[in-house]
């Protein structure tokens, strides 16, 4: 029995430590679900240029009700799980791409301004609402477009928990080995989309989105998936936004 416990401890430690060398990226194409198709190809008459997103994380609540207030920066520690009777150690991050220390991940490669703009382009092209969708890094590059798609991100909050079940990591690894979850990751995405008439500069339509979801980690499954929910949330945001746009501006 003693040998089994020691073997279990080494196996759990090896699996968790090796997982922490994983590197993830924001992969919109790999997100589950399909992109919305709202109009037959070739039927649209207007063009749109997509600007890099504005990063408004950590600057306070700009639009009341859009995103909950989270303390800026990184908070918590997984070492809390070594304290007896503590159910878990945890970390919280408002900008998860800027630091290490996830449940089962080493780093998150996430260019908020350009990755979310690229996701918007993919969804806008799929929707069929515009005859032409391009990327514009500035106003001059958008000069030939009818509209400008402008986005801002207000939250990419991350919370990770590593479960010690009140018996500290010194013993909880035995539970991990037999199949009990060893951690969980929560991803939150807050974004705002605006459609701007390029000629006048007026915002003619806008949409706010805020949602979060979580997943559990086992040493046998979902290792390195700590930030895998962000692309799915962005796809949900774009599908919902474009459906609303098709209903509210049917003459695009």
């Amino acid at each position: 029995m003693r040998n089994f416990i020691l073997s279990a401890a080494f196996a759990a430690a090896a699996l968790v430590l090796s997982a922490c060398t994983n590197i993830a990226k924001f992969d919109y194409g790999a997100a589950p679900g399909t992109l919305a198709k709202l109009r037959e190809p070739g039927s649209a008459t207007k063009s749109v240029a997509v600007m890099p997103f504005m990063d408004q994380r950590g600057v306070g609540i700009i639009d009341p009700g859009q995103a909950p207030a989270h303390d800026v920066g990184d908070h918590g520690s997984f070492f809390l799980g070594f304290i007896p009777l503590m159910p878990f150690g945890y970390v919280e991050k408002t900008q998860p791409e800027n630091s290490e220390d996830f449940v089962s991940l080493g780093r998150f490669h996430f260019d908020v301004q350009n990755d979310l703009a690229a996701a918007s382009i993919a969804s806008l092209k799929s929707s069929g609402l515009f005859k032409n969708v391009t990327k514009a890094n500035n106003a001059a590059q958008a000069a030939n477009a009818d509209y400008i798609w402008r986005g801002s991100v207000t939250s990419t909050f991350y919370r990770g928990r590593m479960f010690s079940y009140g018996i500290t990591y010194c013993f909880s690894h035995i539970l991990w080995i037999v199949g009990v979850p060893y951690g969980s990751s929560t991803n939150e995405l807050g974004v705002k989309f605006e459609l701007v008439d390029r000629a006048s500069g007026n915002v003619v339509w806008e949409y706010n989105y805020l949602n979060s979801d979580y997943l559990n980690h086992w040493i046998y499954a979902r290792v390195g998936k700590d930030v895998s929910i962000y692309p799915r949330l962005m796809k949900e945001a774009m599908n919902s936004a474009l459906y609303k746009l098709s209903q509210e501006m049917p003459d695009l």
Side-chain angles (χ1 to χ4, degrees), residues 187-228:
N187 298 177
E188 177 182 276
L189 180 66
V191 288
K192 180 178 181 179
F193 307 123
E194 293 179 334
L195 190 66
V196 180
D197 181 83
R198 186 200 56 79
S200 67
N202 295 328
V203 176
V204 296
W205 175 89
E206 63 181 23
Y207 182 83
N208 286 317
Y209 173 89
L210 176 67
N211 199 9
S212 65
D213 203 354
Y214 77 96
L215 56 78
N216 287 324
H217 301 274
W218 291 266
I219 60 173
Y220 309 109
R222 294 180 178 170
V223 173
K225 300 295 185 181
D226 306 51
V227 294
S228 61

Side-chain angles (χ1 to χ4, degrees), residues 14 43 58 81 122 132-133 139 155 210:
S43 61
N132 192 33
V133 181
S155 178
L210 176 67

Side-chain angles (χ1 to χ4, degrees), residues 33 51 60 92 123 131 134-135 139 157 187 216 246 252:
M51 302 289 286
E92 295 180 345
S123 285
K131 68 174 182 179
T134 58
K135 173 74 179 295
F157 178 72
N187 298 177
N216 287 324
S246 70
L252 274 176

Side-chain angles (χ1 to χ4, degrees), residues 62-142:
I62 295 175
D63 186 356
Q66 165 59 14
H70 296 298
D71 292 334
V72 178
D74 293 4
H75 303 278
S77 173
F78 287 129
F79 286 104
L80 293 171
F82 285 108
I83 301 175
L85 302 182
M86 282 290 293
F88 52 79
Y90 77 97
V91 295
E92 295 180 345
K93 308 168 186 287
T94 52
Q95 297 177 322
E97 74 277 13
N98 288 340
S99 62
E100 301 179 354
D101 206 17
F102 296 83
V103 174
S104 69
L105 194 64
R107 294 288 302 188
F108 180 31
H109 288 177
F110 186 24
D111 181 347
V112 169
Q113 293 177 302
N114 292 300
D115 285 348
L116 295 184
S120 295
I121 290 172
S123 285
L124 285 163
K125 287 181 176 179
S126 175
S127 72
L129 295 179
F130 297 91
K131 68 174 182 179
N132 192 33
V133 181
T134 58
K135 173 74 179 295
N137 293 315
N138 51 57
Q141 294 180 2

Side-chain angles (χ1 to χ4, degrees), residues 144-185:
N144 295 322
D146 297 302
Y147 294 100
I148 294 174
W149 182 270
R150 206 162 59 189
S152 58
V153 55
T154 56
S155 178
T156 56
F157 178 72
Y158 171 85
R159 178 186 293 114
R161 294 177 175 178
M162 188 171 289
F163 302 137
S164 56
Y165 295 100
I167 56 176
T168 78
Y169 300 141
C170 299
F171 302 100
S172 60
H173 63 267
I174 300 172
L175 298 178
W176 302 350
I177 283 288
V178 299
V180 173
Y182 79 87
S184 69
S185 290

